[in-house]
Amino acid sequence: MASPEIPAMPKAMERVKAAIVGASGYTGQELVRRLLLHPQVELTAATSRQEEGRSLADVFPRFRAVPGAELKFILPDPDAIAATGARFAFLALPHGVAAEIGRALLERGLRVIDLSADFRIHDSAVYEEFYDHAHPAPDLLAEAIYGLPEVRPEEIKAARLIASPGCYPTSILLPLLPLLRENLIDPATVVANSMSGVSGAGRKADLSLLFCECNESARAYGVPKHRHLSEIEQELSLAAGQPVVISFIPHLIPVNAGIATTTTAKLGAGVDRAQIGEALEKAYAGMPFVRLLGEGQPADTKRVTGTNFIDIGWVHDPRTDRVILMSAEDNLGKGAGGQAIQSFNLMAGLCQTAGLQSV
Amino acid sequence: MASPEIPAMPKAMERVKAAIVGASGYTGQELVRRLLLHPQVELTAATSRQEEGRSLADVFPRFRAVPGAELKFILPDPDAIAATGARFAFLALPHGVAAEIGRALLERGLRVIDLSADFRIHDSAVYEEFYDHAHPAPDLLAEAIYGLPEVRPEEIKAARLIASPGCYPTSILLPLLPLLRENLIDPATVVANSMSGVSGAGRKADLSLLFCECNESARAYGVPKHRHLSEIEQELSLAAGQPVVISFIPHLIPVNAGIATTTTAKLGAGVDRAQIGEALEKAYAGMPFVRLLGEGQPADTKRVTGTNFIDIGWVHDPRTDRVILMSAEDNLGKGAGGQAIQSFNLMAGLCQTAGLQSV
Amino acid sequence: MASPEIPAMPKAMERVKAAIVGASGYTGQELVRRLLLHPQVELTAATSRQEEGRSLADVFPRFRAVPGAELKFILPDPDAIAATGARFAFLALPHGVAAEIGRALLERGLRVIDLSADFRIHDSAVYEEFYDHAHPAPDLLAEAIYGLPEVRPEEIKAARLIASPGCYPTSILLPLLPLLRENLIDPATVVANSMSGVSGAGRKADLSLLFCECNESARAYGVPKHRHLSEIEQELSLAAGQPVVISFIPHLIPVNAGIATTTTAKLGAGVDRAQIGEALEKAYAGMPFVRLLGEGQPADTKRVTGTNFIDIGWVHDPRTDRVILMSAEDNLGKGAGGQAIQSFNLMAGLCQTAGLQSV
Amino acid sequence: MASPEIPAMPKAMERVKAAIVGASGYTGQELVRRLLLHPQVELTAATSRQEEGRSLADVFPRFRAVPGAELKFILPDPDAIAATGARFAFLALPHGVAAEIGRALLERGLRVIDLSADFRIHDSAVYEEFYDHAHPAPDLLAEAIYGLPEVRPEEIKAARLIASPGCYPTSILLPLLPLLRENLIDPATVVANSMSGVSGAGRKADLSLLFCECNESARAYGVPKHRHLSEIEQELSLAAGQPVVISFIPHLIPVNAGIATTTTAKLGAGVDRAQIGEALEKAYAGMPFVRLLGEGQPADTKRVTGTNFIDIGWVHDPRTDRVILMSAEDNLGKGAGGQAIQSFNLMAGLCQTAGLQSV
């Protein structure tokens, strides 16, 4: 978080100019919150078609009196965005729309962190299967990096275009990837159940998202083929070195933010329980935002909301020989805005944790 | 619900005298609520050690002005309970305690509906394995009926002692039993994830149950071997005709009441998707409290809270050949008090739905 | 609640045919819930422009399997409604719209219980001042009865047209009216603060009513001149025998249902504390839906949600010589649908509590 | 917030050593959260009788992986605390207990910020009247400064002992003080209604604070003479230059954090509406943590939770000539821990906003 009370500091350092394209939704709001307070970032532009001309503070009264919140929304015009001097652009737009403006910004020399699904799927046919329309920019897929900083930091540092992962995928992939990489579980037995806060559904006037429709309610949705399965299975397959198909059941629960995911899978033949913990330790030891809770420790969303942490605990059930992986993250933090800024920090050569230390 | 506005009615019929032993918790409160309004029941006794001498209305102000709520709590003394003329006793007590007083009431000629776990497990060794103490009344296990009215109505009608099922088991068993009975799924692949409202944890002064600890939180707990697994697997095994061992992961979410359960399992070899719906229809068509939502319909706790319904929807995922069963119930209704009264209605020769029609 | 388990009963009595005009909102839903279960009512019609042709159970899955829920929504056509044989019509429509169809139904011989504001204000100029449009049916105002069953039961029994009070007004009027009637408080010092559940804002797709906008939020709104002030001050003035102008500040809090109102006023000169309790007792002793909690007892919305009760407690503060009146009701129950049915019961010559006894 | 990503910085500056006495409650937890991330503070001690020996991260898993959270709780022993080199001590203890250890720490040369009520009341007789026991350290009252940084910054800078205000008082005093100072309202007409999140009741195992008892509930409590009235009226009287007695009605609502207060009062004779806004502007213009929303703007707790802001809006009602003041703060932030750190920053010669800029 910015520390204006230390006058020397901000002056002392060059602030990196960045823009947020599509800043009026919940993810956009989280990006605004974190970038306004990021000690090494200058937010030069925030775009919104409906809020054009209003300031960040007017649209999000929570930011009133925060330095920088007087910035006015502009239209998502690539030239206008580039003209602000932004070297990086975060895209918090619907899929389909993101690819188009992403290309225009790349052409203008900006580096792009896209939080939509547009560049997450390497195979445009899979994209079309899951998103019901032809891919808007297949030629860019080759260079897009699926932005899991814990998995491919080097590619991210060098990337021009980041496809920042979805909220559900992050909570499912981080616990599973090390186990698949080391062949510790049977890929055919993976079942992931997630519970998400309502902010994950976005900030749109929809009867089903009204307080009275969500409060005191718990329900599954989007089964059996939620769109996030496409990126989840792509990354799991890469880790396993073979095609992986899983069951994924998302649920909506009455909390503002947070995702808790419980994933079960059979251990591979001859695999010992202890190898699970070892693989997780090996993969994430020393990583600033993955907190390994250890064996027998459940994860709780209330411990990660507002942060960029993902908590991971696990249990082995000898009765079924299944491992139960429990992960928790803030769907707007490590599941969206926080993780995108983590990638940005790597790209910009900043400390990975810059601007991401709130608890 | 009672209809005092029809003066003739109550007089016209004989009311069945019933007692609630352990009426100061959330389950006891639900039993009080439903029995006070039951048109054919006279609540003759409610017991509580800590509330002795206070009236139902004083302890639960919600019941103030409800006919019958002036009844005063008495101590759980079998003779005193029998002396009120009660022919039926509902036990809402901790396991271990229930068996003892249950026996005493049976000896005094009352028929007992026990909502604790004491009589749910046929095998006292399994009971001891899961509940960490020797069974307090193994000689009574033989006659205890596991009270799922949709599964064994005739045994319930004739029973002297009912072991009313737990909240999680009810939400898992009702969707699964027909599929196992007809061999439609592979028992070795069953994974059940449940989300429960906080009332399921009981009414006890415990830091972890404080509003601020539960609100804006979602967490798994009790893994990998929750006590309810003992009764779940007992009933699943009976239906499958072979030992069944499953994974069960309960979660706590910030709602007062309601359980949503999502259960996945592989279809058996050569089984067709359509057989799932057919088996559910065959099992539950015409049953008043099981609402089959049909294929592709998720269940939502907010549609069943306050009722005795269980909603069941299902989806088949051709990619994994798994069936996804989604069920929702009120953990205090069909998951506890409502179901116990449903069994009582059968035992007393009343209409199964008597006193259970609130929505 | 309906008691189909008593076969003789429904046949034995003549059910009163009633219709709900505008049944797809939260108030309409509450009317449906209570009338479907009302032992002496037959719901013959439910109207909705957007849901025409769908059944009550389809639109409100909570009602699935409830007898009568197969009824299909029709368009709000007066002739079609009358053709169903309905002798009573409940109007749960926006102000302005209600008056028009109300007139048409009266002309067709139905008796009307209007839950909108259209017939609550005797003076059409005041209506226009608060509702920003000319009164749609001033000629009907003379015969409309402001439907507080505790205040004017006889007029209600005989009425052809009931203006059922608003949710906030009910919670403010019932505690205050007896004190003003008996001159116990200074009318110029009345300040009422109310907290309402979100259902009070209606079922409309509005960003400000999204779960994430309301959860973890508490805010005042509609100050200083909320529309309900018009009916509140009209009734207070009638009771006081002089014009009364008060301060009323409504707040939105994150609960589905319930209104808690705290009203303060200075005691009149020479008034003794004890007279407060006596006046409340005198006004409401023996009334089935007003629960006087007594001196020093706060009211809690959680004890009245789902019921037709209003709880009223009070405290006198000798330091300021103010009385603090605390009331709680379900905004959809005693604050809307329940109270409308209470008036209907009186009009139809039924027991006042028929169909209103859920807790 | 700390910025460890700028290695040079922490070394470059002298960190102020501070201790938290009574760090296991919600206020203590908030102090820990903010001090761990405070760029110019080194937390040298945290005390708790029940958690002695455990680390901050173990007791509050939310802080796991946060630099400094490995600190272990010690017993509240003044010598042990002083031995850590702490120059400042925050006391988050029950009243009565705080005074005792506060004295011991003062004697050992620490400067004390007490968040309990012990040093808020200048008159020990008033303290005894409201807190039901003799004042534990009347000799220290003379030097204790009631720590409202916006009201008496200079006294705070020089203070050895700060009595940090209560959560309700802060939300009531900041809007009212300027109006009383300038004689704009009639002190005899002040009525304050507050709604508080449940964390305000503290972290204690109490049935009335269970999730199921608070969720879907709204209730007044502590009327007519809540303890906070003593400090509220003391400060209002000082501002008015005459004794002020008000009505204050606190309410509990189902949110974790946040207080919304609505205060009404009659304007003084001849006072013009515009003077209200002018007085607020004059009092708080340029102050970093008071956000004046302007005329007609309600305050919403959800815009201030997690921050140290207090939002203040106001409306004048010409019908009653009352001003309606609406304020919102985080009861744990500006209402407790945040404000205490704001005073600490002044005492330590740091920027007032250091460590308080999260949104």
Side-chain angles (χ1 to χ4, degrees):
Chain A
M1 194 209 264
S3 302
E5 72 278 7
I6 313 154
M9 192 263 289
K11 282 190 199 47
M13 68 177 50
E14 177 74 39
R15 286 184 177 246
V16 181
K17 293 186 160 63
I20 303 170
V21 185
S24 64
Y26 290 127
T27 300
Q29 191 170 354
E30 176 69 2
L31 286 165
V32 168
R33 181 176 81 87
R34 292 192 170 280
L35 292 180
L36 282 181
L37 298 169
H38 193 299
Q40 290 146 291
V41 168
E42 177 188 349
L43 182 60
T44 63
T47 82
S48 166
R49 295 194 178 284
Q50 58 272 48
E51 307 294 355
E52 187 210 355
R54 300 179 64 200
S55 74
L56 296 176
D58 289 344
V59 174
F60 303 123
R62 161 169 279 270
F63 300 140
R64 226 184 252 142
V66 176
E70 61 286 352
L71 182 72
K72 285 193 165 32
F73 280 98
I74 61 172
L75 290 174
D77 167 52
D79 289 319
I81 295 164
T84 67
R87 289 167 41 208
F88 291 83
F90 294 86
L91 312 186
L93 297 164
H95 58 84
V97 183
E100 217 170 302
I101 192 156
R103 173 196 297 285
L105 292 168
L106 287 168
E107 287 166 359
R108 284 158 181 76
L110 283 79
R111 295 168 77 184
V112 172
I113 300 106
D114 177 21
L115 287 85
S116 86
D118 279 357
F119 298 110
R120 294 176 188 163
I121 314 301
H122 303 154
D123 180 340
S124 58
V126 174
Y127 179 92
E128 187 163 351
E129 175 195 349
F130 278 84
Y131 289 90
D132 307 319
H133 59 80
H135 195 285
D139 56 306
L140 290 172
L141 291 177
E143 73 166 293
I145 302 299
Y146 190 76
L148 274 177
E150 287 76 16
V151 175
R152 45 183 78 94
E154 296 315 314
E155 293 93 318
I156 291 171
K157 283 179 187 165
R160 205 170 67 116
L161 172 59
I162 295 290
S164 211
C167 50
Y168 288 123
T170 300
S171 74
I172 294 168
L173 293 171
L174 288 176
L176 274 179
L177 291 175
L179 310 190
L180 283 169
R181 257 192 244 107
E182 306 204 2
N183 247 305
L184 303 181
I185 55 174
D186 173 355
T189 64
V190 176
V191 174
N193 279 263
S194 295
M195 300 171 285
S196 173
V198 183
S199 58
R203 186 161 172 262
K204 48 178 183 285
D206 181 321
L207 276 185
S208 73
L209 301 179
L210 293 183
F211 181 85
C212 296
E213 304 299 316
C214 297
N215 187 36
E216 291 298 293
S217 160
R219 56 185 191 258
Y221 71 98
V223 284
K225 204 177 163 187
H226 188 283
R227 283 169 163 172
H228 280 172
L229 268 168
S230 53
E231 62 187 275
I232 292 167
E233 292 175 347
Q234 166 182 285
E235 297 299 309
L236 294 180
S237 301
L238 286 169
Q242 60 173 289
V244 177
V245 180
I246 73 165
S247 290
F248 164 52
I249 303 101
H251 301 77
L252 200 63
I253 60 170
V255 299
N256 279 0
I259 284 182
T261 291
T262 298
T263 306
T264 54
K266 287 262 187 196
L267 292 200
V271 172
D272 180 86
R273 204 183 95 254
Q275 294 173 260
I276 300 294
E278 288 157 15
L280 291 170
E281 281 295 340
K282 184 175 143 206
Y284 301 121
M287 299 224 170
F289 295 119
V290 179
R291 299 194 297 197
L292 297 177
L293 308 180
E295 185 170 5
Q297 295 306 309
D300 187 332
T301 59
K302 89 167 170 289
R303 298 169 178 175
V304 293
T305 45
T307 79
N308 194 49
F309 290 118
I310 179 169
D311 284 359
I312 301 175
W314 64 280
V315 178
H316 174 258
D317 180 1
R319 305 166 63 256
T320 59
D321 200 29
R322 290 196 184 96
V323 60
I324 301 169
L325 296 156
M326 299 162 286
S327 58
E329 66 176 18
D330 185 329
N331 57 303
L332 297 175
K334 184 61 175 170
Q339 181 152 262
I341 290 170
Q342 190 183 348
S343 286
F344 157 83
N345 285 339
L346 292 174
M347 295 164 84
L350 305 174
C351 171
Q352 192 175 179
T353 61
L356 296 174
Q357 284 144 322
S358 61
V359 263
Chain B
M1 194 208 261
S3 302
E5 73 276 9
I6 314 156
M9 194 263 289
K11 282 190 198 48
M13 68 176 51
E14 176 74 38
R15 285 185 176 244
V16 182
K17 293 187 159 64
I20 303 170
V21 184
S24 63
Y26 289 127
T27 300
Q29 191 171 355
E30 176 69 2
L31 287 165
V32 168
R33 181 176 81 88
R34 292 191 171 280
L35 293 179
L36 281 181
L37 299 168
H38 193 298
Q40 289 147 290
V41 169
E42 177 188 350
L43 183 60
T44 62
T47 81
S48 165
R49 294 194 179 283
Q50 59 271 51
E51 307 294 354
E52 188 212 354
R54 299 181 63 202
S55 74
L56 296 175
D58 289 343
V59 174
F60 304 123
R62 160 169 282 269
F63 300 140
R64 225 184 252 142
V66 175
E70 61 287 351
L71 183 72
K72 285 193 163 33
F73 280 97
I74 61 173
L75 291 173
D77 167 52
D79 289 320
I81 295 165
T84 66
R87 288 167 41 208
F88 290 84
F90 294 87
L91 312 185
L93 297 164
H95 59 83
V97 183
E100 217 171 304
I101 191 156
R103 174 197 297 284
L105 292 168
L106 288 168
E107 287 165 359
R108 284 157 181 76
L110 283 80
R111 296 169 74 185
V112 171
I113 300 107
D114 177 21
L115 288 85
S116 86
D118 280 355
F119 298 110
R120 294 177 188 159
I121 314 301
H122 304 155
D123 179 340
S124 58
V126 174
Y127 179 91
E128 187 163 352
E129 174 195 348
F130 278 84
Y131 289 90
D132 307 318
H133 59 81
H135 195 286
D139 55 306
L140 290 172
L141 290 177
E143 72 165 294
I145 302 299
Y146 190 77
L148 275 177
E150 288 75 16
V151 175
R152 47 184 74 96
E154 296 315 315
E155 293 92 320
I156 292 172
K157 284 178 189 167
R160 204 169 68 114
L161 173 57
I162 294 291
S164 211
C167 50
Y168 287 123
T170 300
S171 73
I172 293 169
L173 292 171
L174 288 176
L176 274 179
L177 292 175
L179 310 189
L180 283 169
R181 257 192 243 109
E182 306 204 3
N183 246 304
L184 302 181
I185 55 175
D186 173 355
T189 64
V190 176
V191 174
N193 278 263
S194 296
M195 300 171 285
S196 173
V198 183
S199 58
R203 184 161 173 264
K204 48 179 184 282
D206 180 321
L207 277 185
S208 73
L209 301 179
L210 293 183
F211 181 86
C212 295
E213 302 301 314
C214 296
N215 187 37
E216 292 295 295
S217 160
R219 56 185 192 258
Y221 72 97
V223 282
K225 203 176 163 187
H226 188 283
R227 284 170 163 171
H228 280 173
L229 268 168
S230 52
E231 61 187 278
I232 293 167
E233 292 176 347
Q234 166 183 285
E235 297 299 308
L236 294 179
S237 301
L238 285 170
Q242 59 173 287
V244 177
V245 179
I246 74 165
S247 291
F248 165 52
I249 305 100
H251 301 77
L252 200 65
I253 61 172
V255 299
N256 279 0
I259 284 182
T261 291
T262 298
T263 306
T264 54
K266 287 264 188 196
L267 292 200
V271 172
D272 180 84
R273 204 183 95 255
Q275 296 171 258
I276 300 294
E278 287 158 16
L280 291 170
E281 282 295 342
K282 185 175 138 205
Y284 301 121
M287 299 224 171
F289 294 120
V290 179
R291 299 193 296 196
L292 297 177
L293 308 179
E295 184 169 4
Q297 296 305 310
D300 187 332
T301 59
K302 89 166 169 289
R303 297 170 178 174
V304 293
T305 44
T307 79
N308 195 50
F309 290 118
I310 180 168
D311 285 359
I312 302 175
W314 64 279
V315 177
H316 174 259
D317 180 359
R319 306 166 63 258
T320 59
D321 200 29
R322 288 196 186 97
V323 61
I324 301 169
L325 296 156
M326 299 163 287
S327 57
E329 66 177 16
D330 185 328
N331 57 302
L332 296 176
K334 184 63 175 167
Q339 181 151 262
I341 290 169
Q342 189 183 348
S343 286
F344 157 82
N345 285 338
L346 292 174
M347 295 165 84
L350 305 175
C351 171
Q352 192 175 177
T353 61
L356 295 174
Q357 285 146 322
S358 62
V359 264
Chain C
M1 197 208 264
S3 302
E5 73 276 7
I6 314 154
M9 191 265 288
K11 282 188 198 50
M13 67 178 48
E14 178 73 40
R15 286 182 175 247
V16 182
K17 294 187 159 65
I20 303 169
V21 185
S24 64
Y26 289 127
T27 300
Q29 191 170 353
E30 176 69 1
L31 287 165
V32 169
R33 182 176 80 90
R34 292 191 170 281
L35 292 180
L36 281 181
L37 298 169
H38 193 299
Q40 289 147 291
V41 169
E42 177 189 350
L43 183 59
T44 63
T47 82
S48 166
R49 293 195 180 284
Q50 58 271 50
E51 307 295 354
E52 188 213 354
R54 299 180 63 199
S55 73
L56 296 176
D58 290 344
V59 174
F60 303 123
R62 161 169 280 272
F63 300 140
R64 225 184 253 142
V66 176
E70 61 287 351
L71 183 72
K72 287 194 163 31
F73 280 97
I74 61 172
L75 290 174
D77 168 52
D79 289 320
I81 295 164
T84 66
R87 289 167 42 208
F88 291 83
F90 294 86
L91 312 185
L93 297 164
H95 58 85
V97 183
E100 217 169 303
I101 191 155
R103 174 197 296 286
L105 292 168
L106 288 168
E107 287 167 357
R108 284 157 181 77
L110 284 79
R111 295 169 75 184
V112 171
I113 300 107
D114 177 21
L115 287 85
S116 87
D118 279 356
F119 298 110
R120 294 175 187 162
I121 314 301
H122 304 154
D123 179 340
S124 59
V126 174
Y127 179 91
E128 187 162 353
E129 175 194 347
F130 278 84
Y131 289 89
D132 308 318
H133 59 80
H135 195 285
D139 56 307
L140 290 172
L141 290 177
E143 72 166 294
I145 302 299
Y146 189 77
L148 275 176
E150 287 77 16
V151 175
R152 45 184 77 95
E154 296 315 315
E155 294 93 319
I156 291 172
K157 284 178 189 166
R160 203 170 67 117
L161 173 58
I162 295 291
S164 211
C167 50
Y168 287 123
T170 300
S171 73
I172 294 168
L173 292 172
L174 288 176
L176 274 179
L177 292 175
L179 310 190
L180 283 170
R181 258 191 243 108
E182 305 203 4
N183 246 307
L184 302 181
I185 55 174
D186 173 356
T189 64
V190 176
V191 174
N193 277 264
S194 295
M195 301 171 284
S196 173
V198 183
S199 58
R203 187 162 172 263
K204 47 178 183 283
D206 181 320
L207 276 185
S208 73
L209 300 180
L210 293 183
F211 181 86
C212 295
E213 303 301 315
C214 297
N215 187 37
E216 291 297 294
S217 160
R219 56 187 193 256
Y221 71 97
V223 282
K225 203 177 164 188
H226 188 282
R227 283 170 163 172
H228 281 171
L229 268 168
S230 52
E231 62 187 276
I232 293 167
E233 292 175 348
Q234 165 182 287
E235 297 299 310
L236 294 180
S237 301
L238 286 170
Q242 60 172 288
V244 177
V245 179
I246 74 164
S247 290
F248 164 52
I249 304 100
H251 301 78
L252 200 64
I253 61 170
V255 298
N256 279 0
I259 284 182
T261 291
T262 298
T263 306
T264 54
K266 287 264 188 196
L267 292 200
V271 172
D272 179 85
R273 204 182 96 257
Q275 295 173 259
I276 300 293
E278 288 157 14
L280 291 170
E281 282 296 340
K282 183 175 141 206
Y284 301 122
M287 298 225 172
F289 294 119
V290 179
R291 299 193 297 196
L292 297 178
L293 309 180
E295 185 170 4
Q297 295 306 310
D300 187 332
T301 59
K302 89 166 169 289
R303 298 169 177 175
V304 292
T305 46
T307 80
N308 194 50
F309 291 118
I310 180 168
D311 284 359
I312 301 175
W314 64 280
V315 177
H316 175 258
D317 180 2
R319 305 166 64 256
T320 59
D321 200 30
R322 287 195 186 98
V323 61
I324 301 169
L325 297 156
M326 298 163 286
S327 58
E329 65 177 17
D330 185 329
N331 57 302
L332 297 176
K334 184 63 176 169
Q339 181 151 262
I341 290 169
Q342 190 182 348
S343 286
F344 157 83
N345 285 338
L346 292 174
M347 295 165 84
L350 306 174
C351 171
Q352 192 175 180
T353 61
L356 296 174
Q357 285 145 322
S358 62
V359 265
Chain D
M1 199 212 261
S3 302
E5 73 278 5
I6 312 153
M9 193 264 287
K11 283 189 196 48
M13 67 177 51
E14 178 72 42
R15 285 182 176 247
V16 182
K17 293 186 161 63
I20 303 170
V21 185
S24 64
Y26 289 127
T27 298
Q29 191 171 355
E30 176 69 3
L31 287 166
V32 168
R33 181 177 81 89
R34 292 192 171 278
L35 293 180
L36 281 181
L37 298 169
H38 193 299
Q40 290 147 290
V41 169
E42 177 188 350
L43 183 60
T44 62
T47 81
S48 166
R49 294 194 179 284
Q50 59 270 49
E51 307 294 354
E52 187 210 356
R54 298 180 65 200
S55 74
L56 296 176
D58 289 343
V59 174
F60 303 123
R62 160 168 280 270
F63 299 140
R64 226 185 251 142
V66 176
E70 61 287 351
L71 183 72
K72 287 195 162 30
F73 280 98
I74 61 173
L75 290 174
D77 167 52
D79 290 319
I81 295 165
T84 66
R87 290 167 41 210
F88 290 83
F90 294 86
L91 312 185
L93 298 164
H95 58 84
V97 182
E100 217 170 303
I101 192 155
R103 174 197 296 284
L105 291 168
L106 288 168
E107 287 166 358
R108 284 157 181 76
L110 283 79
R111 296 169 75 185
V112 171
I113 301 106
D114 177 20
L115 287 84
S116 86
D118 279 356
F119 298 111
R120 294 176 187 163
I121 313 301
H122 303 156
D123 180 340
S124 59
V126 174
Y127 179 92
E128 188 163 351
E129 174 194 349
F130 278 84
Y131 290 89
D132 308 318
H133 58 81
H135 194 284
D139 56 305
L140 289 172
L141 291 177
E143 72 166 296
I145 303 298
Y146 190 77
L148 274 176
E150 288 76 15
V151 175
R152 45 184 76 95
E154 296 314 316
E155 293 93 320
I156 291 171
K157 284 178 189 167
R160 202 169 70 115
L161 173 58
I162 294 290
S164 212
C167 50
Y168 287 123
T170 300
S171 74
I172 293 168
L173 292 171
L174 288 176
L176 274 179
L177 292 175
L179 310 191
L180 283 169
R181 259 190 242 108
E182 306 204 3
N183 247 306
L184 302 181
I185 55 174
D186 173 355
T189 64
V190 176
V191 174
N193 279 264
S194 295
M195 300 171 285
S196 173
V198 183
S199 58
R203 186 162 173 265
K204 49 177 181 283
D206 180 320
L207 277 185
S208 73
L209 301 179
L210 293 183
F211 181 86
C212 295
E213 302 301 315
C214 296
N215 187 36
E216 292 296 295
S217 160
R219 55 186 192 257
Y221 72 98
V223 282
K225 203 175 163 188
H226 188 283
R227 284 169 163 172
H228 280 171
L229 268 168
S230 53
E231 61 187 276
I232 293 168
E233 292 176 346
Q234 167 183 284
E235 297 299 309
L236 294 180
S237 300
L238 286 170
Q242 59 172 289
V244 178
V245 179
I246 72 165
S247 291
F248 164 53
I249 304 100
H251 301 77
L252 200 64
I253 61 171
V255 299
N256 278 1
I259 284 181
T261 292
T262 298
T263 306
T264 55
K266 287 265 186 195
L267 291 200
V271 171
D272 180 85
R273 204 183 95 255
Q275 295 172 258
I276 300 294
E278 289 158 14
L280 291 170
E281 282 294 341
K282 184 175 140 205
Y284 300 121
M287 299 224 170
F289 294 119
V290 180
R291 300 194 296 197
L292 297 177
L293 309 179
E295 184 170 6
Q297 296 304 310
D300 187 333
T301 58
K302 90 166 169 288
R303 298 170 178 174
V304 293
T305 45
T307 80
N308 194 49
F309 290 118
I310 180 169
D311 284 359
I312 301 175
W314 63 280
V315 178
H316 174 259
D317 179 2
R319 305 166 63 257
T320 59
D321 200 30
R322 289 198 184 96
V323 61
I324 301 169
L325 296 156
M326 299 162 286
S327 58
E329 66 177 17
D330 185 329
N331 58 302
L332 297 175
K334 184 62 174 168
Q339 182 151 262
I341 291 169
Q342 190 182 348
S343 286
F344 157 83
N345 285 338
L346 292 174
M347 295 163 84
L350 305 174
C351 171
Q352 192 175 179
T353 61
L356 296 174
Q357 285 144 323
S358 61
V359 265

